[in-house]
């Protein structure tokens, strides 16, 4: 019984002594932190994605409060709502930002783009690319081991059954982490308002591209001729859309309608369908 | 007393398939595909145009970069196409395609008949450079650069170990071309100003040891060194350690310890280049494996496709599961038979499922077998784990990633069937990308 009391007294005593030391240190050696920084940090989405160009949310919060040159709208995942709040707290003016999402510029599913060989190595796109450019016949398309899915800080990507990653547009914040990870560089940040998208990255010549993938852009130029605004060009056997011209001038896109492989996709109609469904 | 090194493995050598087959020369190919990158260093640019008529041994590709080796036509005929073509080491590569005229004419002035003994050192080096000689063992390091070392060299090692299983090209060369080999060795000795020369041969080739001992009788300073049969006995660094007892420092070259190593095939090519003035237009390649009907050692023109080579060996006897450029330990798997033979193509292997099957990968069980097997004294298990965890920089800085020679001993011994070498190659490529980025950044800062 005595021992138990002794233990209790000693432990409480030790606790009290350290408690006083800590309380004293907290007052005496306190670092002056701008409380605004903590407030800003609380607003940020905490994805630690680095899309703002700083090493994590805390660093951005510090920079945006301390440095007048740092804009309040740099947090890509936070979009306009967070930008407005940060601007309000820091007394800066938030310019409007166009929200983006990541789009896979490849439709070469397992069935569409046949594998050139049987790959038995480690499950990593970059490692597989070292072996003859990846197992698929097409050397420009998605390798399909999901490096992008692994790095997505917001859980907005998952691997589809057909071997291509699927982006959840609602969860995607457009931070671009997947795009910078992809060894093929075929994930692109596309504005939500984009009207069309060329979902192929192959620079192979038409006949070769078709042999390697049924969904490939053949560089035939039909979309280019169907675009009345001159927004589409064929560069190295691949259609490239000038997003600025396309979004500003085009009322109703028809360029994609005649694409023989459906490599160029109309996005407005798809978006409408989604809304009605 | 046979010499050896620490670590290494004893795989089934598979040499019985082609060991006793004399070198054969298949009929002249109708067309050759000659890649512009057949060496370590900058790729060459074609010096010919479509429609040009070229002759055997004529220069068709060169580069202004220091690190390169010239490329020559291997048959006479017309250039029909210059395009991206399959390549055994990369996805595709610019290549000159020559359609044969069936005459097989030599370029003007070839072959010559020179007396190498009266030639100056620089003259010999120029002859080697003009002939576009590279290391024919597989690494394809330009020979004229290796033979002009920046540091004093006192020992020359001729690599006849041929430790890769299945390959017998160097072995047949030693048996059948020992006279040219002797000339080649003497030329190399003269160029390097080296008296001591060792010829390293593994003890599973007793005939070659005997043959060369006879051939080199009476030539001062040359010793045929028998080596224990163990993979990777023929790796440059192992060979130097075993024969001279010197250890090449981390990130160093053989010349740092006063040694130069040349492959037997390269030595014969040097003899040809200096005496007869002919560039590399053909090479001896072993076509083997349990899926090939009649494994053979072939003298193939550069640019012959794998398909033609395998067809000459009677095609496949069984369904091949894997086609390899090079040996089974370090060779690169191929997905098309249209890849051309290049200067570094020491072998073509077609193996059946029975041999290539290796089970599924599982996590490292930390048994340490790879550590015992690693001839470079690394910890392959840790390298693979760090690469898996994406801790690439730690692998480089704390575990000596770049000392790995990618010999494959670790993967061979791993009971968990881990693809250790692939993990390491991946980590190396990520580190190289990081270093390139840093260099670019530093260059940009320097500009400012």
């Amino acid at each position: 019984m005595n021992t138990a009391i002794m233990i209790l007294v000693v432990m409480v005593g030790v606790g009290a002594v350290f408690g006083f030391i800590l309380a004293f240190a907290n007052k005496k050696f306190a670092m002056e932190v701008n409380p605004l920084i903590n407030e800003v940090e609380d607003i940020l989405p905490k994805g630690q994605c680095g899309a703002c160009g700083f090493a994590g949310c805390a660093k951005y919060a510090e920079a945006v409060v301390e440095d007048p040159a740092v804009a309040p709208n740099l947090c890509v995942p936070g979009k306009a709502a967070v930008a407005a709040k940060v601007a309000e707290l820091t007394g800066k003016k938030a310019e409007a930002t166009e929200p983006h999402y990541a789009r896979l510029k490849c439709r070469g599913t397992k069935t569409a783009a046949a594998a050139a060989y049987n790959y038995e190595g480690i499950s990593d796109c970059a490692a597989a690319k070292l072996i003859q450019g990846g197992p698929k016949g097409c050397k420009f398309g998605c390798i399909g081991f999901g490096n992008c899915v692994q790095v997505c800080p917001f859980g907005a990507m998952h691997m589809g059954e057909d071997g291509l990653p699927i982006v959840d547009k609602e969860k995607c914040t457009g931070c671009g982490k997947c795009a910078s990870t992809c060894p093929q560089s075929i994930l692109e940040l596309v504005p939500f308002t984009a009207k069309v998208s060329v979902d192929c990255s192959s620079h192979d010549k038409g006949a070769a591209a078709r042999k390697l993938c049924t969904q490939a852009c053949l560089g035939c130029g039909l979309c280019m001729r169907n675009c009345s605004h001159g927004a589409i060009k064929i560069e190295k056997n691949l259609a490239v859309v000038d997003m600025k011209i396309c979004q500003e001038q085009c009322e109703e896109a028809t360029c994609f309608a005649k694409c023989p492989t459906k490599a160029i996709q109309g996005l407005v109609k798809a978006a409408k369908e989604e809304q009605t469904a | 007393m046979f010499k050896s090194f620490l670590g290494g493995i004893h795989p089934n050598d598979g040499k019985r398939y082609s060991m006793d087959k004399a070198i054969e020369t298949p009929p002249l190919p109708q067309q050759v595909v000659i890649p512009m990158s057949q060496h370590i260093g900058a790729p060459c640019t074609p010096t010919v145009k479509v429609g040009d008529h070229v002759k055997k041994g004529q220069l068709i590709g060169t580069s202004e970069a220091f690190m390169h080796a010239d490329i020559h036509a291997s048959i006479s005929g017309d250039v029909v196409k210059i395009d991206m073509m399959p390549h055994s080491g990369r996805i595709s590569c610019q290549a000159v395609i020559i359609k044969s005229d069936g005459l097989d004419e030599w370029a003007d002035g070839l072959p010559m008949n020179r007396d190498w003994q009266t030639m100056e050192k620089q003259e010999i080096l120029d002859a080697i450079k003009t002939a576009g000689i590279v290391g024919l063992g597989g690494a394809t390091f330009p020979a004229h650069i290796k033979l002009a070392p920046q540091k004093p060299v006192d020992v020359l090692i001729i690599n006849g170990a041929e430790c890769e299983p299945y390959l017998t090209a160097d072995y047949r060369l030693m048996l059948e071309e020992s006279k040219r080999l002797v000339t080649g060795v003497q030329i190399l000795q003269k160029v390097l100003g080296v008296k001591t020369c060792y010829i390293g041969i593994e003890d599973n080739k007793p005939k070659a040891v005997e043959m060369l001992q006879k051939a080199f009788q009476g030539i001062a300073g040359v010793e045929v060194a028998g080596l224990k049969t163990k993979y990777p006995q023929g790796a440059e660094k192992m060979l130097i350690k075993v024969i001279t007892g010197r250890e090449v420092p981390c990130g160093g070259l053989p010349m740092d310890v006063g040694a130069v190593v040349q492959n037997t095939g390269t030595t014969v090519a040097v003899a040809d280049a200096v005496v007869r003035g002919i560039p590399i237009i053909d090479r001896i390649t072993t076509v083997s494996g349990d899926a090939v009907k009649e494994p053979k050692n072939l003298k193939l023109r550069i640019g012959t496709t794998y398909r033609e080579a395998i067809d000459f060996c009677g095609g496949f006897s069984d369904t091949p599961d894997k086609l390899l450029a090079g040996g089974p330990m370090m060779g690169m798997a191929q997905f098309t038979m249209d890849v051309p033979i290049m200067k570094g193509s020491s072998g073509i292997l077609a193996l059946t499922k029975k041999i290539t099957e290796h089970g599924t990968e599982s996590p490292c069980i930390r048994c340490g077998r790879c550590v015992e097997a690693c001839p470079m004294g690394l910890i392959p298990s840790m390298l693979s784990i760090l690469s898996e965890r994406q801790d690439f920089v730690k692998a480089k800085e704390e575990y000596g990633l770049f000392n790995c020679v990618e010999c494959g001993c670790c993967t061979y011994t791993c009971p968990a069937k881990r693809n250790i070498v692939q993990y390491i190659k991946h980590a190396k490529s990520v580190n190289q990308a990081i270093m390139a980025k840093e260099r670019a950044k530093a260059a940009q800062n320097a500009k400012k």
Side-chain angles (χ1 to χ4, degrees):
Chain A
M1 193 60 199
N2 252 348
T3 329
I5 292 169
M6 274 297 285
I7 289 169
L8 210 66
V9 170
V10 170
M11 291 316 285
V12 168
V14 169
V17 169
F18 281 110
F20 278 118
I21 293 173
L22 284 174
F24 174 73
N26 193 27
K27 279 269 181 288
K28 180 81 183 167
F29 306 114
M31 285 274 288
E32 282 222 14
V33 180
N34 191 342
L36 205 54
I37 293 176
N38 290 334
E39 260 180 80
V40 172
E41 200 192 335
D42 284 342
I43 295 167
L44 297 174
K46 307 269 170 31
Q48 316 293 357
C49 64
C52 51
F54 294 91
C57 299
K59 284 280 173 209
Y60 174 57
E62 197 183 318
V64 77
V65 171
E66 305 277 327
D67 187 350
V70 176
N73 61 356
L74 291 184
C75 179
V76 182
K79 296 187 186 137
V82 168
K85 276 189 203 157
V86 174
E88 195 190 309
L89 282 171
T90 54
K92 290 175 183 173
K93 211 176 147 196
E95 273 165 36
T97 44
E98 169 93 73
H100 286 65
Y101 70 100
R103 189 171 177 90
L104 184 69
K105 297 277 186 179
C106 173
R107 300 201 308 139
T109 55
K110 277 180 193 161
T111 43
Y117 62 89
N118 197 3
Y119 177 78
E120 282 179 344
I122 53 182
S123 271
D124 185 289
C125 303
K129 193 184 168 164
L130 292 180
I131 301 168
Q132 305 271 8
K136 266 183 196 163
C138 171
K139 298 302 171 201
F140 299 95
C142 175
I143 295 175
F145 290 109
N147 281 17
C148 48
V149 175
Q150 277 171 29
V151 297
C152 179
F154 301 99
M157 293 183 98
H158 67 274
M159 211 63 204
E161 273 173 23
D162 54 5
L164 294 181
I166 296 167
V167 180
D168 184 342
K169 267 166 116 178
E170 271 169 31
K171 283 189 191 160
C172 179
T173 60
C175 71
K177 206 151 190 190
C178 52
S180 60
T181 302
C182 178
Q184 300 286 69
S185 305
I186 54 166
L187 278 150
E188 204 177 281
L189 295 177
V190 175
F192 275 93
T193 53
K195 294 191 175 90
V196 293
S197 166
V198 181
D199 288 350
C200 177
S201 309
S202 169
H203 290 295
D204 280 324
K205 281 179 194 157
R210 176 170 248 164
K211 211 183 270 174
L212 297 172
C213 177
T214 56
Q215 309 283 309
C217 170
L218 309 175
C220 64
L222 262 178
C223 51
M224 178 171 75
R225 270 168 264 142
N226 271 317
C227 174
S228 47
H229 307 282
I232 304 179
K233 279 194 190 102
I234 306 288
E235 284 172 14
K236 283 198 234 158
N237 306 310
L238 183 66
V240 180
V241 181
D242 186 326
M243 277 295 169
K244 211 176 160 211
I245 302 178
C246 181
Q247 271 178 292
E248 283 173 5
Q249 299 181 12
C250 187
E251 289 293 314
E252 199 170 349
T254 53
C255 51
F256 55 87
K258 287 204 177 144
C259 179
T261 58
K262 302 274 172 286
I264 181 163
Q265 297 260 312
L267 303 179
V268 178
K269 202 177 156 204
K272 268 183 199 158
E273 268 170 17
E274 263 170 40
Q275 272 174 8
T276 50
Chain B
M1 199 9 221
F2 292 113
K3 302 168 176 178
S4 190
F5 59 96
L6 274 179
I9 52 167
H10 299 275
N12 174 11
D13 78 357
K15 294 198 194 271
R16 66 193 158 82
Y17 286 107
S18 54
M19 205 161 180
D20 300 320
K21 306 277 178 68
I23 299 167
E24 285 181 57
T25 311
L28 201 66
Q30 295 291 311
Q31 178 182 298
V32 288
V33 177
I34 305 180
M36 286 293 114
S37 177
Q38 301 190 26
H39 48 262
I40 292 183
C44 290
T45 37
T47 55
V48 286
K49 304 186 295 296
V50 173
D52 284 2
H53 183 79
V54 293
K55 285 181 177 169
K56 186 164 71 167
Q58 185 183 329
L59 181 77
I60 57 166
T62 188
S63 164
E64 281 179 6
F66 170 70
M67 191 72 145
H68 87 280
D70 288 347
I71 291 164
H72 303 80
S74 61
I75 55 172
S76 65
D78 297 314
V79 177
V80 287
K81 209 164 128 189
I82 298 176
D83 200 4
M84 300 304 275
M85 294 299 281
H87 184 281
S88 59
R90 50 181 80 187
I91 311 159
S92 62
C93 168
Q94 194 180 35
V96 172
I97 300 160
I98 302 169
K99 200 170 161 51
S100 171
D101 58 5
L103 300 172
D104 205 25
E105 282 175 316
W106 279 107
D108 301 333
L110 290 180
M112 299 180 230
N113 193 3
R114 285 188 287 209
D115 181 10
W116 64 269
Q117 269 153 330
T118 59
M119 284 167 83
E120 291 290 313
K121 196 176 144 182
Q122 192 53 43
E123 238 177 300
I124 296 177
L125 272 178
D126 287 342
I128 293 170
K129 183 167 193 268
T130 321
I133 310 268
V134 299
L136 296 183
T140 63
F141 191 92
H144 64 274
I145 299 172
K146 205 185 217 179
L147 292 174
Q150 308 295 314
K151 290 180 185 169
V153 166
D154 63 351
V155 58
L156 167 70
I157 299 172
I158 303 299
N159 186 354
E162 199 162 52
C163 58
E164 271 275 2
Y166 293 89
L167 304 188
T168 53
D170 286 352
Y171 171 66
R172 291 311 307 182
L173 185 85
M174 287 188 277
L175 288 186
E176 296 178 32
E177 303 281 358
S178 55
K179 265 191 195 146
R180 276 154 80 203
L181 187 67
V182 172
T183 318
V185 169
Q186 287 173 315
I187 293 171
L188 291 182
Q189 277 179 309
K190 183 171 178 182
V191 169
L192 292 165
V194 166
K195 293 222 170 62
T196 336
C197 170
Y198 296 95
I199 299 170
I201 304 173
E202 279 189 346
D203 61 358
N204 61 353
K205 306 177 205 33
K207 272 191 204 163
V209 176
E210 208 181 302
M211 187 84 183
L212 293 191
Q213 267 167 349
K214 228 185 272 168
F216 281 98
Q217 226 160 34
I219 295 166
V222 182
E223 188 191 319
V224 178
L227 313 167
K228 215 171 145 188
T229 302
K230 183 156 81 169
Y231 181 86
Q233 191 69 265
E236 200 168 58
K237 287 171 185 167
M238 302 307 114
L239 210 56
I240 295 171
K241 178 89 213 282
V242 168
I243 290 178
T244 67
R246 303 172 195 170
E247 200 163 312
V248 181
C250 290
L253 289 169
M255 66 176 181
D256 293 330
V257 292
V260 163
V261 181
Q262 282 293 11
N263 173 269
T264 43
T266 322
T267 312
V268 171
V270 164
D272 279 347
V274 176
V275 177
R276 297 168 64 206
I278 57 174
I280 300 185
I281 55 157
D282 53 17
R283 69 152 295 141
I284 296 161
T285 302
T286 303
V287 182
S288 184
D290 62 343
V292 175
K293 206 164 181 186
E294 291 173 63
K296 280 177 183 171
N297 298 297
L298 301 179
K299 191 171 195 171
L300 294 169
R301 294 291 167 94
I302 303 296
T304 315
T305 60
Y306 282 27
R307 191 186 304 280
E308 287 167 292
I310 291 173
D311 283 349
F312 185 74
C313 295
F316 295 118
S317 58
D318 205 342
T319 326
D321 184 55
K322 208 174 219 177
L323 181 69
L324 286 168
M329 296 302 293
M330 288 186 73
M332 287 286 284
Q334 304 297 316
F335 63 86
T336 163
M337 302 244 292
D338 295 324
V339 256
I341 295 286
M342 300 190 300
K343 291 176 185 174
S345 307
S346 49
I348 302 172
L349 298 185
L351 304 171
T352 61
K353 190 104 194 158
K354 213 167 74 198
I355 292 182
T356 59
E357 188 123 59
H358 73 150
T360 37
E361 188 181 359
S362 60
C364 174
I365 57 168
R366 319 224 174 208
C367 63
R369 281 198 214 169
C370 54
V371 182
E372 270 172 32
C374 182
M376 294 301 292
L378 301 172
I379 312 174
S381 56
M382 273 317 286
L383 289 171
S384 79
I385 289 165
L386 288 172
S387 173
E388 200 174 9
R389 279 193 212 145
Q390 320 237 322
D391 207 345
F392 304 114
V393 177
K394 188 172 179 183
K396 177 185 129 202
E397 277 165 10
E398 293 174 29
Y399 290 86
L401 174 70
F402 280 93
N403 287 312
C404 171
V405 294
E406 298 171 15
C407 66
C409 289
C410 47
T411 312
Y412 181 85
T413 54
C414 183
K417 315 284 179 204
R418 288 171 65 76
N419 299 304
I420 304 177
V421 176
Q422 201 196 354
Y423 280 118
I424 292 178
K425 282 186 180 177
H426 174 44
K428 278 186 180 175
S429 96
V430 173
N431 269 303
Q432 271 156 357
I434 294 172
M435 287 189 282
K437 222 185 237 174
E438 277 169 6
R439 268 199 304 273
K441 220 177 184 178
Q444 213 171 25
N445 284 347
K447 251 187 204 170
K448 276 179 192 168

